Amino acid sequence: EALVLLNPGDSDEIAVAIAPVHPRKEIRTRLLERLPAWKIPRRFLFLPALPRTSRGKPDRKAIQAMLFEKTGTP
């Protein structure tokens, strides 16, 4: 389960929220094997499960807030 988003403040920054099935290190390795470097997300948010709306869809607003909150930490 994964959701890819663009940073609203930097449309060149790709981020992904993921409920991993594979080890974290393996996910990045697999992406590097299959995608050009510029398509690899800069930010990864690993969650046990993606938050859902009342309709059962991934809660994009909640995930976006977690990915891009103003902590200064990617």
Side-chain angles (χ1 to χ4, degrees), residues 48-63:
L50 296 183
R52 301 280 178 182
T53 64
S54 60
R55 294 182 177 216
K57 296 181 179 183
D59 190 338
R60 291 177 158 277
K61 288 182 182 181
I63 294 168

Side-chain angles (χ1 to χ4, degrees), residues 1 5 7 12 17 30 34 37 41 52 54-55 64 67 72:
E1 219 183 3
L5 297 167
N7 183 341
D12 290 337
R30 285 184 176 204
R34 291 173 173 82
R52 301 280 178 182
S54 60
R55 294 182 177 216
Q64 191 173 36
L67 276 165

Side-chain angles (χ1 to χ4, degrees), residues 43 45 47 50-51 59 61-69 71:
R43 295 178 193 234
L45 175 64
L47 301 167
L50 296 183
D59 190 338
K61 288 182 182 181
I63 294 168
Q64 191 173 36
M66 287 186 268
L67 276 165
F68 303 113
E69 61 187 22
T71 62

Side-chain angles (χ1 to χ4, degrees), residues 1-68:
E1 219 183 3
L3 180 65
V4 177
L5 297 167
L6 293 176
N7 183 341
D10 179 1
S11 62
D12 290 337
E13 182 180 16
I14 301 170
V16 64
I18 188 167
V21 176
H22 301 286
R24 294 177 184 192
K25 195 172 186 176
E26 185 178 330
I27 291 168
R28 183 176 276 285
T29 301
R30 285 184 176 204
L31 288 173
L32 288 167
E33 290 171 354
R34 291 173 173 82
L35 297 172
W38 65 273
K39 287 188 177 182
I40 304 296
R42 286 192 214 164
R43 295 178 193 234
F44 285 81
L45 175 64
F46 293 96
L47 301 167
L50 296 183
R52 301 280 178 182
T53 64
S54 60
R55 294 182 177 216
K57 296 181 179 183
D59 190 338
R60 291 177 158 277
K61 288 182 182 181
I63 294 168
Q64 191 173 36
M66 287 186 268
L67 276 165
F68 303 113

